[in-house]
Amino acid sequence: MKFFADTANLAQILEVHALGVLDGVTTNPSLMAKEGIKGEENILAHYALLAREVPGDISAEVISTDYEGILREGRKLAKIADNIVVKVPMIKEGIKAISTFKNEGIRTNCTLIFSAGQALIAAKAGASYVSPFIGRIDDISGEGVQLIAQIVNIFSNFGMETEVLAASVRHTLHIVQCAELGADVVTCPPSVILQLINHPLTDIGLEKFLADHKKLNG
Ligand code: G3P
């Protein structure tokens, strides 16, 4: 399973990349705004920076919601680097744009997916990734990981090439559940990826090993 960092913060991205476990990055307009990156030139420059620093795919989201606008923005984003994936919202115009991008050889990530039907039509249109938002489903008392199970099952029934990118991943249990269910990718805040390392019994065990060694060896 691939690990993507769901942030536009380069320092946090590099912290995970330094461990050798990072496969890509996803961003969205909220995450770009959080880093204070504004204005088309700065936004494009930041994507170029991320695309240089991270060897994997970088999802860069369009702001337009009309077909022509999505195409215009997406083509510009795709030109930045080969590892830029154009993130397109799950709307009718978005699906139409995803089909066009597919014909042009531009890779896409269909975002804001909350049902298996949405994932299916995005895959039919030729999306490279679909992004079901599992944490936001949990937020409204649903079970986000159930959606991952459904989509993984449907895509495997038909050998669909679209990758299931579990998004809105909030904690390590989400990551482990997505891995058990066969999601191709999880994207989550770098802090959540780093939390996978921690276990209190590891800390206690290491402390004991080191103390026993010190007793004999000083
Ligand atoms: O990748 C989508 C993600 O950024 C949404 O996460 O935590 O805002 O629901 P969240």
Side-chain angles (χ1 to χ4, degrees), residues 52 67 90 99 125 158 188 190:
R52 265 197 315 276
Y67 174 68
M90 165 41 75
S99 300
F158 301 104
C188 42

Side-chain angles (χ1 to χ4, degrees), residues 64-66 70 88-96 98 110-111:
S64 302
T65 54
D66 63 295
I70 294 172
V88 178
M90 165 41 75
I91 52 175
K92 195 170 163 194
E93 300 283 288
I95 291 298
K96 194 172 158 192
I98 286 170
C110 187
T111 189

Side-chain angles (χ1 to χ4, degrees), residues 6 26 28 31 87 111 133 135-136 139 167-170 187:
D6 195 26
T26 51
N28 60 40
L31 293 171
K87 207 171 177 190
T111 189
F133 277 31
R136 293 194 193 183
D139 288 344
S168 185
V169 168
R170 305 269 177 78
T187 190

